[in-house]
């Protein structure tokens, strides 16, 4: 099948007469046919290469999930005293439970209960409106603001990883009600569920929490970028970056040290915010966060 690539490879460079005879004897259409064959072969090889990459990624994710379940179990035992202490502090500083669970969308669209430390008032969504959190959000408790900034509110999700519902790294899980709304506005939104959701991810390291549909599009872009480029070294850097954030190192510094800034990916997809957008803080070498909006859906029913 590949022989036509090598025809004439053994001919001497100075055999002009033989070369002219061979050239003259070839049909006029032979060159275009050869080009077409090479193009077809190139497409086949490219498809096989993509298929092989997909197989390799599938193997990596399977091994990653197995290792993470064991690792998260060990980590959960190690941080259990800290989680219990934080639960007590949350209950002492505001009304309501210290720990709560909420339905989220996981692998292949399956739903599960995610566990988190409560950082907002217990009646944060009493009016049935799901709102993206904003800077200075009055619903966030003083202790909750600290927990969010240090990402300590995510520690109970080690239980979800140990159960096999989540991963240490990957796209963040979203609520089913919000997913339904976002899927109507963003093509291929559920493509991000091809892998297990993570406690942390490349989108969370690069960007602030979602406040607009455009913010979600940016995170969707980075989530799919992660799925296509996942690997051990990338995952290790994301875990280290998250630990650094938890001890108070600034996000831009962490991304520079760990080489995790993906501004170029957003720029290539035309997803960088246009100049003149108002709003919040910046991350990843100055990607701005823009103004807040809300989505109205039926109030979610939390499992008891």
């Amino acid at each position: 099948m590949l022989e036509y690539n090598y025809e004439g490879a053994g001919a001497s460079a100075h055999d002009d007469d033989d070369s002219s005879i061979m050239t003259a004897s070839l049909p006029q259409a032979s060159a275009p046919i050869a080009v077409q064959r090479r193009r077809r072969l190139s497409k086949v090889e490219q498809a096989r290469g993509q298929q092989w990459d997909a197989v390799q990624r599938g193997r990596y994710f399977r091994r990653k999930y197995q290792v993470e379940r064991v690792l998260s179990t060990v980590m959960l035992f190690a941080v259990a005293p800290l989680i219990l202490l934080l639960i007590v502090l949350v209950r002492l500083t505001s009304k309501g439970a210290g720990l709560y669970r909420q339905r989220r969308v996981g692998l292949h669209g399956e739903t599960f209960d995610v566990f988190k430390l409560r950082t907002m008032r217990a009646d944060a969504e009493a009016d049935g409106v799901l709102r993206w959190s904003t800077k200075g959000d009055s619903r966030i408790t003083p202790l909750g603001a600290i927990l969010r900034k240090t990402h300590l509110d995510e520690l109970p999700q080690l239980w979800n990883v140990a159960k096999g519902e989540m991963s240490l790294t990957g796209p963040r899980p979203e609520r089913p009600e919000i997913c339904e709304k976002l899927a109507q506005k963003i093509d291929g939104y559920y493509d991000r569920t091809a892998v297990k959701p993570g406690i942390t991810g490349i989108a969370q390291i690069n960007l602030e929490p979602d406040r607009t549909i455009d913010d979600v599009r940016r995170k969707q872009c980075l989530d799919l970028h992660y799925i296509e480029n996942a690997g051990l070294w990338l995952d290790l850097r994301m875990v280290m970056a998250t630990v650094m954030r938890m001890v108070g190192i600034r996000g831009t510094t962490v991304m520079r040290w760990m080489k995790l800034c993906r501004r170029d990916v957003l720029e290539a997809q035309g997803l960088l915010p246009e100049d003149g957008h108002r709003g919040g803080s910046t991350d990843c070498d100055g990607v701005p966060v823009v103004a807040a909006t809300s989505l109205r859906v039926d109030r979610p029913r939390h499992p008891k």
Side-chain angles (χ1 to χ4, degrees):
M1 183 175 179
L2 301 178
E3 292 178 355
Y4 69 86
N5 278 328
Y6 302 96
E7 288 178 357
S12 173
H14 60 269
D15 291 340
D16 295 335
D17 294 337
D18 293 340
S19 299
S20 60
I21 294 172
M22 291 174 63
T23 304
S25 63
L26 289 174
Q28 292 295 322
S30 62
I33 291 175
V35 171
Q36 292 175 9
R37 287 177 178 175
R38 283 196 294 270
R39 288 175 178 173
R40 286 198 296 268
L41 181 60
S42 177
K43 290 180 180 179
V44 170
E45 291 176 341
Q46 184 178 8
R48 287 177 178 174
Q50 292 174 347
Q51 186 178 18
W52 173 250
D53 289 342
V55 170
Q56 291 295 94
R57 283 197 303 272
R59 290 175 180 172
Y60 171 73
F61 277 111
R62 285 193 295 271
R63 293 169 183 168
K64 162 186 161 75
Y65 296 153
Q66 293 171 355
V67 173
E68 285 182 339
R69 293 190 68 173
V70 176
L71 183 60
S72 62
T73 302
V74 175
M75 293 171 63
L76 187 60
F77 278 104
V79 301
L82 176 59
I83 294 176
L84 292 175
L85 175 62
L86 293 174
I87 290 174
V88 172
L89 290 176
V90 171
R91 297 198 63 176
L92 290 176
T93 55
S94 62
K95 294 181 180 180
L99 189 70
Y100 80 96
R101 59 182 179 178
Q102 192 177 65
R103 297 297 285 177
R104 297 292 176 98
V105 176
L107 181 66
H108 304 319
E110 298 291 331
T111 58
F112 67 99
D113 291 338
V114 70
F115 292 87
K116 295 186 70 174
L117 292 170
R118 182 173 57 82
T119 59
M120 287 188 171
R121 300 193 316 264
D123 61 348
E125 293 178 355
D127 58 0
V129 179
L130 300 186
R131 299 181 181 88
W132 280 310
S133 177
T134 60
K135 287 214 166 186
D137 196 323
S138 61
R139 299 173 300 161
I140 300 176
T141 65
L143 178 59
I146 297 174
L147 295 178
R148 284 176 171 238
K149 184 175 181 180
T150 57
H151 300 283
L152 290 173
D153 60 319
E154 312 287 357
L155 283 178
Q157 290 171 39
L158 289 172
W159 172 246
N160 293 110
V161 180
K163 290 176 63 179
E165 298 167 334
M166 290 182 64
S167 174
L168 290 178
T169 57
R172 285 294 296 161
E174 188 53 270
R175 285 184 272 186
E177 299 85 0
I178 292 182
C179 285
E180 291 175 4
K181 297 290 183 180
L182 295 176
Q184 296 174 8
K185 299 177 180 295
I186 301 175
D187 293 337
Y189 178 75
Y190 284 106
D191 290 348
R192 65 201 301 276
T193 65
V195 298
K196 290 183 180 180
I199 295 179
T200 187
I202 195 69
Q204 283 64 43
I205 292 172
N206 276 263
L207 301 169
E208 296 284 344
D210 298 333
R211 291 170 171 83
T212 70
I213 292 297
D214 286 337
D215 291 339
V216 180
R217 289 193 177 95
R218 293 181 193 106
K219 284 192 175 175
Q220 171 84 350
C221 174
L222 294 188
D223 286 337
L224 298 182
H225 171 76
Y226 166 74
I227 293 172
E228 291 294 322
N229 296 277
L232 178 60
W233 179 229
L234 176 58
D235 283 331
L236 288 176
R237 284 184 290 156
M238 286 196 289
V239 171
M240 288 188 287
T242 302
V243 173
M244 291 179 186
R245 293 284 293 271
M246 292 176 70
V247 298
I249 302 177
R250 293 184 59 184
T252 51
T253 302
V254 168
M255 282 187 291
R256 186 169 63 252
W257 288 354
M258 294 292 103
K259 300 186 183 302
L260 289 173
C261 182
R262 294 297 183 269
R263 182 186 178 93
D264 59 324
V265 176
L266 297 176
E267 188 173 11
Q269 296 298 321
L271 290 174
L272 285 181
E274 296 178 0
D275 293 338
H277 276 186
R278 297 180 181 177
S281 63
T282 60
D283 210 345
C284 191
D285 297 333
V287 175
V289 179
V290 293
T293 60
S294 64
L295 293 176
R296 183 174 184 87
V297 298
D298 294 334
R299 184 183 178 185
R301 297 179 179 179
H302 304 294
K304 297 181 179 179

